[in-house]
Amino acid sequence: MISYDELIPIGGTLIIAGLSFGIGVIYGNLPYDFFTLFRLGSEQKYFDLALQHYQVWGTTPEIVKQIAHIVIGIAFVGGLIKIYKPPADTSYFEYGSLFVMVIGVAVYLSNVRIGVASALVGDWGEVDQNTGLGVIAASEMMIIVLFLGVIVLQIGLVYAHYADLRLKSNFIINELKIENNALLKKLSGGKTSNQSEAKAEETKSSGSSTSTTEATTTKKSGKKSKKV
């Protein structure tokens, strides 16, 4: 059974993949948003092209839009995984990532979706058409910045997770090596002491046998001298 620690990098990967897809979808609008947002005094034709683009986007089949929503939902699944039991030292980063993702989705629903609907019906409320297209472009740039921030943060957290695992594994390996070396030294020391004791006993026994031989020789010499 997979453990929660093994799910943490999976959750980070889901967040990175889902938000990267969302950024890619928004980046497809940049050729139109660039002139309506970053070029002051752009010609009206660029606003007309942006209007036609968002009208086409608004009339695309629902399955196309739902695919994008599902992929972003996968990123939220990853965020929920990571805030289930976050480590104490990264809990604020995990909660912050999910909060920023919620802000990005709120900007999309309140500005981009409503702006696309306004492009379809031609009703921009209290602003004119060009201003409304600029609001759509600015909102999409805001979403890109928010999602990029979460992606960078999650990449850092995934790297920190693997770095922490590597440090812990290296520490455990070093501790096992130290214990193994100490055990080997202890075993080799025991063998050395046993060998020393054996040598001492051999020396003692050889010494006692030598003294016995000398005593026997002395007795025999004494007997011979008496006979003479």
Side-chain angles (χ1 to χ4, degrees), residues 29-40 42 46 137 141:
N29 302 326
L30 188 59
Y32 305 95
D33 296 337
F34 182 82
F35 293 98
T36 60
L37 182 62
F38 299 109
R39 286 285 182 88
L40 297 177
S42 296
Y46 295 112
M141 292 302 104

Side-chain angles (χ1 to χ4, degrees), residues 8-225:
I8 291 177
I10 296 176
T13 302
L14 292 178
I15 294 174
I16 294 170
L19 297 186
S20 298
F21 179 85
I23 291 175
V25 172
I26 295 175
Y27 185 79
N29 302 326
L30 188 59
Y32 305 95
D33 296 337
F34 182 82
F35 293 98
T36 60
L37 182 62
F38 299 109
R39 286 285 182 88
L40 297 177
S42 296
E43 298 180 9
Q44 183 60 37
K45 65 178 182 179
Y46 295 112
F47 290 95
D48 294 338
L49 288 173
L51 177 63
Q52 294 174 8
H53 169 70
Y54 286 113
Q55 286 175 341
V56 173
W57 192 20
T59 55
T60 53
E62 283 298 319
I63 184 63
V64 177
K65 302 173 186 177
Q66 296 304 326
I67 289 173
H69 298 162
I70 290 171
V71 175
I72 298 299
I74 291 174
F76 275 88
V77 171
L80 293 175
I81 290 174
K82 299 200 73 176
I83 67 169
Y84 177 62
K85 291 180 180 179
D89 52 347
T90 61
S91 59
Y92 291 109
F93 296 106
E94 303 296 358
Y95 291 125
S97 296
L98 186 61
F99 180 70
V100 172
M101 289 164 57
V102 171
I103 293 176
V105 172
V107 172
Y108 167 75
L109 294 175
S110 61
N111 290 352
V112 178
R113 290 270 295 185
I114 292 177
V116 172
S118 298
L120 287 174
V121 300
D123 184 9
W124 295 94
E126 299 179 357
V127 298
D128 56 23
Q129 173 182 298
N130 292 352
T131 303
L133 293 172
V135 170
I136 295 176
S139 300
E140 290 179 341
M141 292 302 104
M142 187 184 301
I143 293 172
I144 288 178
V145 171
L146 293 173
F147 284 1
L148 274 178
V150 175
I151 289 173
V152 172
L153 179 60
Q154 289 300 317
I155 290 174
L157 290 174
V158 171
Y159 174 78
H161 178 74
Y162 280 112
D164 182 64
L165 289 179
R166 185 170 62 252
L167 289 175
K168 289 180 179 178
S169 61
N170 291 336
F171 176 77
I172 293 172
I173 291 172
N174 291 332
E175 289 294 321
L176 290 176
K177 287 181 178 179
I178 293 172
E179 292 179 1
N180 189 32
N181 292 333
L183 182 60
L184 290 175
K185 288 181 179 179
K186 186 177 180 181
L187 292 175
S188 61
K191 290 180 180 179
T192 303
S193 60
N194 292 333
Q195 291 175 357
S196 300
E197 291 176 359
K199 288 181 179 179
E201 290 179 358
E202 289 178 0
T203 304
K204 184 177 180 181
S205 61
S206 62
S208 61
S209 62
T210 302
S211 60
T212 303
T213 304
E214 290 177 352
T216 305
T217 304
T218 304
K219 289 180 180 180
K220 288 181 179 180
S221 299
K223 287 180 180 181
K224 286 181 180 181
S225 60

